[in-house]
Amino acid sequence: MLDLKAIRQDPDAYRRDLERRGDAAPLERLLELDAARRRAIARLEALRAQRNRVSQEISRLKALGQDTQALIASTRADGEEMKRLDEEVRRAEEGVEALLRALPNRLHPLVPDGGELDAQECRRRGEPASFPFPPRPHWDIGVQAGLVDLERAGKVSGARFAFFRGQGAQLVRALIQWMVDVHVAQHGYEELLPPYLVNADSAFGTGQLPKFAQDMFMTTDGRYLIPTAEIPVTNFHRDEILDGERLPIKYVAYSACFRSEAGASGRDTRGVIRQHQFDKVELVRFTRPEESEQALEELVGDAEDMLARLGLPYRVVRLASRDTSFASCMTYDLEVHLPSSDGYREISSCSNFGDFQARRAGIRYRPQPGAHAEFVHTLNGSGLAVGRTWAAIVENFQTERGQVRVPEVLRPYMGGAEVIGTPSS
């Protein structure tokens, strides 16, 4: 959530950011409503001061035995106006709070203007795979090699679900275990295994509510299935004041994730790229404000390291203003190359949220013992999305016989297997 005082002090800066995101109208409504609220408060305070003066005068006149009926009548009229102003202030405050909740984060100056096609490519690593045969999509290979069953998942659960089976399921488990092991032992994260259900306060804290309620599955008791482990892990420190000496704090968490994909109708309907239920290894950081920009670069590096170890070709792009998420001030996407489409697809999204989430979730720290508490900066990124990594491995390491070569780093987690899947006849 944004700082209302800061908005008042420099509304033009916030206006420019919202125009870059595509819509500054909510800010104009906020400024108008806040100004009306402040005018009502000023009038209310003036009436209270006037009533106090009149009350003192009434007491003085009564002591002198003089008539006070006119003054008493004026206080009744003032009381009615004060009651009306109280209600006006209450409604305005509710409106200001609702608009503040709906305003997106500010943008970092390095974020380019534009939409999805205006992302700024930062670097590429690895050469796209070449094959002496026409490469096939992961859903064809996976189904024919007995690694995944999409048809039966559709029968059991509907579209956008998958049964991973046999060595395909083993590959999912291997990816999860390997990713967590590397992030803990070599990147310095502490592992958390979070709950998959969160309350509305938690979803509000990270920015999913109220704007993105339609993208989440809500249970009958009003809780939400998590669309990402970012929500429970960030809220792990909700309403806490952290010891500045502990920062940075770094967590890694595997979780299943659940998304309704309400805004993605018709996209990636085949395969396992866009599912209602999927697995992800998430990285979350809490840092001092002056360290968050460097922390974002380190976070991206941790996710890149996983792709490099797997031997998957990828690129890093900085998202443009209209494609940067509601809560993020800057986001890098890591995109892996998929031979079936001869293009790059997102496999990790790494964001710096500044103090936006911390304000919503009440997460602060003390720079020094006894110092005034300040808001931390939060960051998160996928390290990596498991289903998309699975698809990238199947496509990039497919063989002419329809099997899949296992990346060397995963073989210890796969019982030493170098190749998986039933070969085609």
Side-chain angles (χ1 to χ4, degrees):
M1 194 154 65
L2 299 176
D3 181 357
L4 183 56
K5 279 187 181 178
I7 293 175
R8 289 191 197 121
Q9 290 169 358
D10 192 0
D12 287 342
Y14 289 85
R15 187 176 290 111
R16 285 192 297 271
D17 274 350
L18 288 172
E19 286 171 349
R20 293 178 68 202
R21 285 185 178 272
D23 183 12
L27 177 65
E28 306 308 327
R29 292 197 295 273
L30 171 68
L31 292 171
E32 292 169 5
L33 195 55
D34 182 52
R37 180 183 69 89
R38 296 171 78 186
R39 287 194 299 270
I41 289 173
R43 174 62 178 155
L44 187 58
E45 290 175 346
L47 283 173
R48 284 173 178 155
Q50 177 178 306
R51 186 175 64 172
N52 288 338
R53 290 193 298 272
V54 170
S55 294
Q56 291 172 3
E57 180 66 8
I58 289 173
S59 297
R60 187 184 71 80
L61 292 175
K62 279 185 175 180
L64 296 174
Q66 297 183 19
D67 182 30
T68 60
Q69 293 303 311
L71 288 175
I72 291 172
S74 72
T75 61
R76 290 197 189 102
D78 287 346
E80 290 300 315
E81 186 174 0
M82 288 170 64
K83 188 181 297 184
R84 179 187 64 78
L85 286 168
D86 267 329
E87 179 62 19
E88 184 178 328
V89 169
R90 184 190 66 78
R91 289 197 306 269
E93 286 177 343
E94 288 178 353
V96 166
E97 179 70 15
L99 285 168
L100 273 177
R101 287 172 172 237
L103 284 179
N105 199 358
R106 295 202 61 189
L107 292 169
H108 191 282
L110 288 178
V111 173
D113 289 338
E116 184 176 354
L117 299 179
D118 300 297
Q120 183 181 74
E121 184 172 315
C122 302
R123 55 189 172 273
R124 293 189 182 205
R125 297 287 186 269
E127 292 295 324
S130 60
F131 301 90
F133 56 89
R136 297 157 59 199
H138 66 273
W139 56 85
D140 279 354
I141 303 165
V143 168
Q144 291 184 20
L147 302 176
V148 67
D149 194 318
L150 302 172
E151 184 177 346
R152 287 190 174 96
K155 175 182 67 176
V156 170
S157 302
R160 298 186 190 267
F161 289 92
F163 271 113
F164 293 97
R165 58 185 302 182
Q167 290 179 311
Q170 187 181 10
L171 180 59
V172 170
R173 287 190 293 109
L175 282 166
I176 294 166
Q177 187 65 62
W178 171 73
M179 289 180 191
V180 173
D181 284 352
V182 172
H183 288 308
V184 170
Q186 300 183 41
H187 296 159
Y189 291 80
E190 178 185 348
E191 183 180 1
L192 294 180
L193 186 60
Y196 293 174
L197 285 171
V198 294
N199 54 33
D201 287 341
S202 296
F204 171 76
T206 48
Q208 274 75 21
L209 289 181
K211 188 175 178 65
F212 301 105
Q214 65 173 355
D215 292 325
M216 294 191 291
F217 292 108
M218 188 173 72
T219 62
T220 54
D221 64 357
R223 285 179 287 193
Y224 295 87
L225 284 166
I226 61 171
T228 166
E230 167 198 350
I231 300 178
V233 176
T234 302
N235 281 276
F236 188 70
H237 290 299
R238 191 175 80 221
D239 296 325
E240 293 183 16
I241 299 177
L242 306 174
D243 180 358
E245 295 299 314
R246 290 187 59 202
L247 299 177
I249 296 173
K250 300 161 56 176
Y251 294 121
V252 57
Y254 156 72
S255 78
C257 305
F258 307 87
R259 295 185 186 176
S260 69
E261 298 290 356
S265 178
R267 296 184 61 188
D268 301 311
T269 55
R270 302 188 70 182
V272 301
I273 294 294
R274 193 178 296 275
Q275 299 269 285
H276 289 308
Q277 176 187 320
F278 58 96
D279 298 300
K280 189 150 63 83
V281 172
E282 193 76 1
L283 308 174
V284 175
R285 290 188 176 213
F286 301 84
T287 74
R288 292 172 179 265
E290 65 272 17
E291 296 172 352
S292 68
E293 289 189 20
Q294 178 59 34
L296 178 59
E297 301 301 321
E298 294 173 2
L299 183 67
V300 172
D302 292 339
E304 283 189 76
D305 185 42
M306 310 308 287
L307 291 168
R309 290 173 187 243
L310 289 168
L312 292 170
Y314 68 92
R315 68 174 187 167
V316 179
V317 298
R318 183 185 289 121
L319 297 188
S321 56
R322 293 197 302 274
D323 207 29
T324 300
S325 72
F326 173 82
S328 173
C329 61
M330 185 161 70
T331 296
Y332 290 102
D333 271 4
L334 278 64
E335 299 180 345
V336 68
H337 189 268
L338 293 180
S340 63
S341 59
D342 193 23
Y344 289 86
R345 297 302 306 271
E346 177 201 335
I347 197 168
S348 172
S349 190
C350 299
S351 299
N352 183 358
F353 302 103
D355 64 5
F356 188 83
Q357 291 181 330
R359 287 182 179 278
R360 297 168 78 96
I363 308 170
R364 297 179 291 166
Y365 78 105
R366 296 193 192 281
Q368 295 89 29
H372 177 73
E374 301 176 13
F375 289 107
V376 300
H377 279 198
T378 62
L379 305 93
N380 83 273
S382 309
L384 303 159
V386 176
R388 295 187 177 201
T389 307
W390 188 96
I393 288 172
V394 170
E395 291 201 10
N396 279 276
F397 302 131
Q398 61 182 286
T399 72
E400 193 165 9
R401 299 188 66 195
Q403 294 178 288
V404 178
R405 289 182 291 107
V406 178
E408 189 172 345
V409 293
L410 296 179
R411 291 173 188 173
Y413 297 85
M414 295 289 295
E418 297 182 10
V419 178
I420 60 172
T422 305
S424 56
S425 55

